[in-house]
Amino acid sequence: PATNETEVAFELLQNVPNPFQDQTVIGFNLPAASKGSLTILDTSGKIYKVVIDVFVKGYNQIEIDRTALPTNGVFYYRLETADQTATKMMVLID
């Protein structure tokens, strides 16, 4: 039987804007409400920010302010839930 529920895939979206100067938004989709963490780290693996929350099914977003990061350059952000992980790259510029 057809339902009105659309299937939502686990998806980590590219941050917008990228590269960014002041702040950026990281969006992601989850197939079900779940606890997750978003970790921001540099290319050497040093962690600068971790956001842990219970996110809703569907679209979620987290705003990242440049004050969370020590300097401009390339950073990675990783979204982890109990059963899935995704990582993308972002660039902070002056």
Side-chain angles (χ1 to χ4, degrees), residues 34-48:
S34 62
K35 182 176 180 182
S37 66
L38 182 81
T39 304
I40 297 179
L41 48 147
D42 67 14
T43 53
S44 72
K46 181 170 167 49
I47 293 173
Y48 290 100

Side-chain angles (χ1 to χ4, degrees), residues 6-71:
T6 55
E7 286 298 310
V8 178
F10 177 89
E11 181 183 22
L12 178 59
L13 304 171
Q14 187 63 52
N15 62 301
V16 178
N18 186 46
F20 72 103
Q21 286 183 301
D22 297 320
Q23 69 177 33
T24 190
V25 174
I26 297 171
F28 54 94
N29 290 305
L30 296 178
S34 62
K35 182 176 180 182
S37 66
L38 182 81
T39 304
I40 297 179
L41 48 147
D42 67 14
T43 53
S44 72
K46 181 170 167 49
I47 293 173
Y48 290 100
K49 185 173 181 71
V50 179
V51 177
I52 299 172
D53 206 344
V54 176
F55 299 104
V56 299
K57 175 182 177 178
Y59 181 76
N60 294 265
Q61 70 179 32
I62 296 173
E63 287 186 10
I64 303 297
D65 193 87
R66 79 164 296 134
T67 57
L69 304 172
T71 182

Side-chain angles (χ1 to χ4, degrees), residues 74-88:
V74 175
F75 294 88
Y76 293 96
Y77 55 99
R78 181 175 63 226
L79 176 65
E80 294 177 274
T81 62
D83 49 2
Q84 292 182 290
T85 301
T87 303
K88 287 198 180 286

